[in-house]
């Protein structure tokens, strides 16, 4: 019986350490910035790890009053790309903690 308590304490300490490491990794991820471009650099979007758009840069050449739809498409494409980069990094970073744990899908 005593051996089981020792194992349980050891497991609890490991879980607490993993939780601290996860919180630290999540904080670091949220502070990162990500960039994506569209149209050969005509539009550049910058986001952080919280999936917040921080900056949008639009090259003057991309602004054509007769083709606003192209500019809108470039903004959408760059935004979707930068958010995909954030998601991939998040999955990669947080997935290290959940490997082999059989957690329900979508937890991280």
């Amino acid at each position: 019986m005593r051996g089981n308590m020792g194992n349980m304490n050891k497991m609890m300490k490991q879980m607490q350490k993993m939780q601290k490491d996860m919180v630290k990794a999540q904080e670091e991820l949220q502070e990162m910035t990500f960039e994506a471009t569209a149209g050969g650099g005509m539009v550049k979007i910058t986001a952080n790890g919280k999936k917040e758009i921080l900056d949008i840069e639009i090259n003057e050449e991309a602004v054509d009053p007769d083709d606003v739809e192209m500019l809108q498409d470039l903004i959408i494409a760059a935004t979707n790309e930068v958010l995909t980069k954030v998601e991939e990094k998040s999955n990669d970073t947080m997935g290290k903690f959940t490997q082999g744990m059989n957690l329900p899908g979508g937890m991280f």
Side-chain angles (χ1 to χ4, degrees), residues 45-65:
I45 306 287
T46 305
N48 63 20
K50 296 178 193 177
K51 298 181 184 176
E52 297 170 335
I53 303 301
L54 301 176
D55 189 39
I56 298 175
E57 293 180 28
I58 300 172
N59 187 309
E60 286 181 21
E61 296 171 24
V63 182
D64 180 355

Side-chain angles (χ1 to χ4, degrees), residues 1-39:
M1 187 76 158
R2 195 162 210 203
N4 287 339
M5 289 300 285
N7 288 339
M8 189 67 119
N9 286 337
K10 183 178 178 182
M11 188 168 55
M12 290 298 290
K13 286 182 183 180
Q14 288 174 338
M15 291 296 287
Q16 288 171 344
K17 181 186 181 321
M18 186 175 79
Q19 185 177 15
K20 286 180 186 177
D21 291 345
M22 283 177 65
V23 168
K24 182 180 178 191
Q26 202 165 28
E27 288 171 353
E28 289 173 356
L29 178 68
Q30 290 178 353
E31 292 176 13
M32 291 179 177
T33 57
F34 301 83
E35 291 181 355
T37 61

Side-chain angles (χ1 to χ4, degrees), residues 36-46 53 55-59 62-63 67-83:
T37 61
M42 298 293 262
V43 173
K44 181 171 89 171
I45 306 287
T46 305
I53 303 301
D55 189 39
I56 298 175
E57 293 180 28
I58 300 172
N59 187 309
V63 182
D67 194 3
V68 175
E69 286 183 16
M70 181 194 71
L71 179 56
Q72 292 169 335
D73 289 344
L74 292 175
I75 293 169
I76 290 168
T79 302
N80 286 336
E81 183 182 335
V82 78
L83 293 177

